[in-house]
Amino acid sequence: MTSGPGDVLQLIRRAEANTRRDIQQLTGLSRMTVAQRVDALMDAGLVIEDAGAGGATGGRRPDRLSFHVDRSVLAVATVDTAHSRTALTDLSGRIIASDAVDVAISEGPERVLDALAASMRRLVDEASSGRPLVGTGISVPGPIDPSTRRPSQPPIMPGWDAYPIAEHLAEVIPVPTFVENDADAMAFGEQSTHFPGSNAVCLIKVSTGIGAGLVINGSVYHGIDGGAGDIGHIRLAGETAICQCGSRGCLAAVASGRAVAVKLDELGIPAGSGRDVGRLLQAGNVDALSLTHEAGRRIGEVMATVVSMINPGVLVVSGDLASNELLGGLRETLYPRSLPRATRNLDIRLGELGEQAGPIGMARIVTDALYSADAINHRLAA
Ligand SMILES: [Zn+2]
């Protein structure tokens, strides 16, 4: 078995090993080799040792090893149709500072990315306390091609198809950059924070559009072409509403925040986006509540198929429309349309992290990529 320093770091990062003795037991490496690995990780500033803080096993407490999460910082951005956010985090995904960037995705990639980069640099200047920025991450509301990491025919991102997001950002902020689908980043944020023990977590984001993310065995599942979870454009029988993607009768054309906003407008209640609908829900607007409940019912019809296919342990409902009304509607159609086995142990719930799910998940995706076993073995062998 080969257990390089990168493999040892993974054990420490996942808290599977907290002491040198744990590492010896888990890897089968000799005490001497473990010491060399830990020394290399400490010399590189990746691991810190807290004297006498390890688990008590009688006698002297061993020194506790942990990933040095506040040695460096990450800057992440979560792009949405009208409102984007940036955040500065430590390597555990803890948010140090954040900022709102009101730039519409329809303004195109150059303007949006330049506005986000300016905000990220400001956060680094103001809140990094001199710690080095080692990576950036950006999530966008569209499918990402797994091989190029560029948007792949995103239905609601005009001008972004195949755009080199990472290259553009890295030109302005020269550190490694990672690009992810927004629902995937949110799913990873919720799963890694609240359901690390669940092997299958699904998150559905209902904001201006609709998307879903899947975390299987602790990793985001993208599908062969990055299309996994892109359920907003499944066409519903008997529906004819025109969708932003150009088709008719898509789930997003019927049950998204945009669809609810259009129906509210028709009732004389001004609403332009999913966020506006979210505000009306919080204010207890009766029409917004009943339309969101109905949207939940339509989403539940589609999610019954998803749940029957994946049999997840947790289904997290997130986004601007996430509310008890949406959840109630979803349950009304999902349960009767699924076999009891598919839902027997299914926990359907609202997201715990709210709008922090995206930044936290994105930061952890960047950390996982920068500090993977392979990356560290390669770096420390050089
Ligand atoms: Zn569509």
Side-chain angles (χ1 to χ4, degrees):
M1 175 178 178
T2 55
S3 289
D7 303 277
V8 170
L9 179 64
Q10 298 319 300
L11 295 174
I12 296 170
R13 280 185 53 211
R14 295 192 199 116
E16 290 167 23
N18 293 317
T19 64
R20 290 161 193 258
R21 180 187 291 263
D22 292 345
I23 298 167
Q24 253 179 279
Q25 281 171 352
L26 286 166
T27 60
L29 294 174
S30 73
R31 205 173 131 191
M32 181 83 88
T33 310
V34 169
Q36 284 169 356
R37 300 278 189 269
V38 171
D39 284 348
L41 292 169
M42 286 177 44
D43 287 348
L46 297 169
V47 163
I48 46 176
E49 192 161 38
D50 196 357
T57 51
R60 196 184 79 86
R61 287 159 69 110
D63 297 340
R64 194 172 74 100
L65 301 167
S66 56
F67 182 42
H68 195 174
V69 294
D70 53 7
R71 176 176 182 259
S72 318
V73 294
L74 306 172
V76 295
T78 50
V79 178
D80 214 330
T81 41
H83 313 275
S84 298
R85 295 196 67 82
T86 54
L88 192 76
T89 77
D90 69 13
L91 299 181
S92 74
R94 187 180 66 84
I95 295 175
I96 299 164
S98 64
D99 189 20
V101 183
D102 285 339
V103 55
I105 203 165
S106 56
E107 290 185 34
E110 282 92 358
R111 291 193 59 168
V112 172
L113 293 173
D114 288 342
L116 294 173
S119 167
M120 286 169 154
R121 290 170 90 161
R122 200 162 51 241
L123 289 176
V124 171
D125 288 345
E126 290 170 1
S128 66
S129 308
R131 288 170 288 179
L133 176 74
V134 292
T136 59
I138 180 164
S139 72
V140 297
I144 300 299
D145 183 311
S147 54
T148 63
R149 304 310 299 165
R150 296 180 183 185
S152 171
Q153 299 172 316
I156 61 167
M157 297 171 65
W160 290 72
D161 185 26
Y163 189 82
I165 294 174
E167 290 85 339
H168 184 120
L169 209 56
E171 234 166 66
V172 191
I173 304 178
V175 292
T177 299
F178 301 87
V179 183
E180 189 58 87
N181 166 264
D182 62 348
D184 286 341
M186 292 167 74
F188 195 63
E190 293 280 357
Q191 185 273 340
S192 57
T193 306
H194 291 292
F195 317 104
S198 181
N199 289 337
V201 173
C202 181
L203 176 141
I204 177 154
K205 178 196 177 200
V206 187
S207 287
T208 297
I210 294 177
L214 277 175
V215 181
I216 306 288
N217 296 330
S219 301
V220 171
Y221 179 75
H222 296 104
I224 300 305
D225 285 304
D230 198 12
I231 62 166
H233 303 279
I234 293 175
R235 292 170 74 177
L236 306 180
E239 294 288 349
T240 55
I242 295 177
C243 182
Q244 268 205 300
C245 74
S247 291
R248 282 177 180 273
C250 295
L251 179 64
V254 175
S256 66
R258 181 186 305 275
V260 172
V262 167
K263 288 170 191 161
L264 285 168
D265 263 338
E266 288 167 5
L267 295 171
I269 303 161
S273 66
R275 179 165 291 206
D276 293 340
V277 176
R279 281 198 202 100
L280 289 164
L281 288 172
Q282 278 173 8
N285 180 282
V286 175
D287 292 306
L289 291 170
S290 93
L291 286 167
T292 297
H293 182 91
E294 183 53 30
R297 289 182 56 91
R298 302 314 306 268
I299 292 167
E301 292 172 21
V302 170
M303 290 312 288
T305 306
V306 172
V307 160
S308 301
M309 180 71 93
I310 311 291
N311 190 198
V314 187
L315 169 56
V316 179
V317 178
S318 200
D320 292 328
L321 269 65
S323 58
N324 287 325
E325 282 64 34
L326 193 76
L327 206 59
L330 186 146
R331 286 185 166 129
E332 277 175 25
T333 52
L334 188 150
Y335 285 118
R337 286 165 195 253
S338 313
L339 279 174
R341 186 174 46 245
T343 54
R344 189 165 52 197
N345 289 307
L346 175 62
D347 180 7
I348 306 180
R349 53 160 67 224
L350 296 174
E352 301 270 344
L353 298 175
E355 61 180 17
Q356 295 197 335
I360 291 172
M362 195 63 238
R364 289 186 181 153
I365 287 166
V366 175
T367 297
D368 278 358
L370 289 176
Y371 301 96
S372 70
D374 284 352
I376 296 305
N377 286 337
H378 185 76
R379 200 188 305 173
L380 295 188

